[in-house]
Amino acid sequence: MRILVFSFEFLPSDAPQALRVARLMRELVACGHDVDVIAGAGPASAVTYEVIDGVKVHRVNPGGVDGLVVWMKRARSGQGANGPTAAPVPMRSGLNWKGKCIQSIRKMMDVFLFPDARTLWINAAIRSARVLVADRGMPDLLIGSHEPAVGAMAAMRLAQETGVALVSELGDPILATYTPRRWQQRALRLERDVCERSAAVVLTSEATARLFDVRHGVASKLHVIPQGFDPPPFVDSDARKGDNVLRLVYTGRLYPFRNPMPLLRAVAGIPGCELVLAAPELPDDVEEFLSAGGTGCTWLGSVPHAEAVRLQAGADLVVSIGNAGMTQIPGKVLEYMGSGRPILHVRPDEGDAAAVLIKTERCGYVVDAEVSQISSLLVDLVARKRNGTLEEGLVVGFSAFEKYSWRSLGQQLSAVCERVHSE
């Protein structure tokens, strides 16, 4: 089956959705499908076309200030449409003055454009799709990806224009707790339109599926395909047991709806406990706390995904911080399940779906986001590390969670696509 995908984010972007879409599309190719992805060009890649894991990726200028940055990068590189893959961009822990200026302009544009400034990419993406269709013929199926919503919006427009069946790989709600108030009604309408016009809607959790059924009454269209993982690299377990220090590792982003402060304060008060944070940027309160010193915490800044996976595999415990007030399960939780290490999950509220999953799968420890409770658990975990019982009573190891591997999840998405195509 020929499948045309709209996803603003795609590798080598470090956005979580870029990894999800890239892995799922890789597995669709492994299932025998022919997959083209129309993505947004970004500073991490100056080329307009490349093949990644068998997926044909067509990068389209995102427009606006980001489009200007991409245009300048391409002009400096002197690359044509089929030039070699750009070298990876070095990871940095912060923005220089140019980056801060661009970020400020982008935020101003976000005030006036729905859902944000990336909507300027849609028209160019549609034009690119029309050229592709003229060259290769009509695809058998369209897939629209969210986050950001512009991928789903572009796919929906082309589906209306061509009559090709649409699968919307939303993952999470378009209307979420972090949606700006000015856009909440429009986000809800867009979410409803996507559900009505799609033959199938893919979400990452059962809790989100229940929310969509309440909002839109489309239970028959909903399919839950969570985040996933690839098998981790080999790590010598004896090296991990070499001392009595309990090593915690957090790899991911610290969004406003994830509060790490209770954990940081608890770690700072427990001898023999260390926390490594591999996060692109730190909230102001976290940065101030770490700057004070004596916290038992180390910040590495942004690291490549492969390095993040190696850090996870070498940890005693991998740390997850739940999304407050949301139905989503952070993708890192599923990645952690494949890391071969127990999870320490900080639960922000009783509605946290990730906590339910971790308890159900018995793959880690769940604690409420209270300093006293976290401290008490850490004291116990330090003792468990020293007497070799840290994993006792838990299910640990990626082979135990094969159903959450990208291979298995890609096969599920392939089945959804084939069912839609056959109807």
Side-chain angles (χ1 to χ4, degrees), residues 34-45:
D34 184 357
V35 180
D36 287 272
V37 173
I38 295 178
S45 180

Side-chain angles (χ1 to χ4, degrees), residues 42 44 52 79 118 138 183 201 216 245 291 293 308 312 319 340 364 396:
I52 301 177
Q79 290 181 333
R118 291 171 292 189
M138 200 69 71
W183 297 136
V201 177
H216 313 299
V245 176
S291 297
Q312 294 166 18
V319 174
V396 177

Side-chain angles (χ1 to χ4, degrees), residues 76 110 115 159 185 199 223 301 327:
R76 286 196 302 269
D110 288 347
Q185 288 302 313
H223 302 267
T327 60

Side-chain angles (χ1 to χ4, degrees), residues 240-324:
R240 190 186 298 120
K241 299 174 183 177
D243 57 39
N244 290 325
V245 176
L246 182 72
R247 291 186 171 84
L248 314 178
V249 169
Y250 177 90
T251 62
R253 295 170 183 263
L254 293 173
Y255 296 110
F257 43 81
R258 292 180 190 165
N259 181 14
M261 288 306 300
L263 175 66
L264 296 181
R265 292 194 173 98
V267 168
I270 305 298
C273 184
E274 296 179 353
L275 170 64
V276 171
L277 296 170
E281 294 182 69
L282 297 179
D284 291 343
D285 57 345
V286 174
E287 191 167 354
E288 291 172 6
F289 183 79
L290 296 185
S291 297
T295 63
C297 303
T298 303
W299 178 46
L300 301 182
S302 181
V303 302
H305 183 256
E307 176 61 21
V309 171
R310 282 192 289 272
L311 285 170
Q312 294 166 18
D316 293 310
L317 292 154
V318 285
V319 174
S320 168
I321 300 172
N323 296 342

Side-chain angles (χ1 to χ4, degrees), residues 119-288:
T119 195
L120 296 172
W121 168 82
I122 294 177
N123 287 336
I126 293 293
R127 288 195 297 270
S128 178
R130 288 170 182 158
V131 171
L132 191 60
V133 168
D135 181 51
R136 301 191 57 198
M138 200 69 71
D140 298 305
L141 189 74
L142 297 174
I143 294 179
S145 171
H146 165 253
E147 170 87 35
V150 294
M153 293 164 72
M156 188 167 60
R157 273 184 51 182
L158 192 66
Q160 290 177 281
E161 184 177 303
T162 62
V164 176
L166 171 64
V167 172
S168 289
E169 205 287 294
L170 296 185
D172 298 329
I174 295 174
L175 172 61
T177 56
Y178 50 82
T179 302
R181 178 174 294 183
R182 64 184 179 279
W183 297 136
Q184 288 179 359
Q185 288 302 313
R186 287 190 66 175
L188 182 61
R189 288 197 300 270
L190 174 59
E191 191 178 274
R192 183 178 299 115
D193 288 345
V194 169
C195 289
E196 290 177 352
R197 298 175 186 178
S198 301
V201 177
V202 177
L203 304 169
T204 57
S205 75
E206 294 289 351
T208 302
R210 290 192 293 271
L211 175 66
F212 267 55
D213 191 33
V214 170
R215 284 181 179 177
H216 313 299
V218 290
S220 62
K221 293 184 178 182
L222 304 179
H223 302 267
V224 175
I225 298 179
Q227 302 284 36
F229 63 84
D230 282 327
F234 172 77
V235 172
D236 185 356
S237 60
D238 289 336
R240 190 186 298 120
K241 299 174 183 177
D243 57 39
N244 290 325
V245 176
L246 182 72
R247 291 186 171 84
L248 314 178
V249 169
Y250 177 90
T251 62
R253 295 170 183 263
L254 293 173
Y255 296 110
F257 43 81
R258 292 180 190 165
N259 181 14
M261 288 306 300
L263 175 66
L264 296 181
R265 292 194 173 98
V267 168
I270 305 298
C273 184
E274 296 179 353
L275 170 64
V276 171
L277 296 170
E281 294 182 69
L282 297 179
D284 291 343
D285 57 345
V286 174
E287 191 167 354
E288 291 172 6

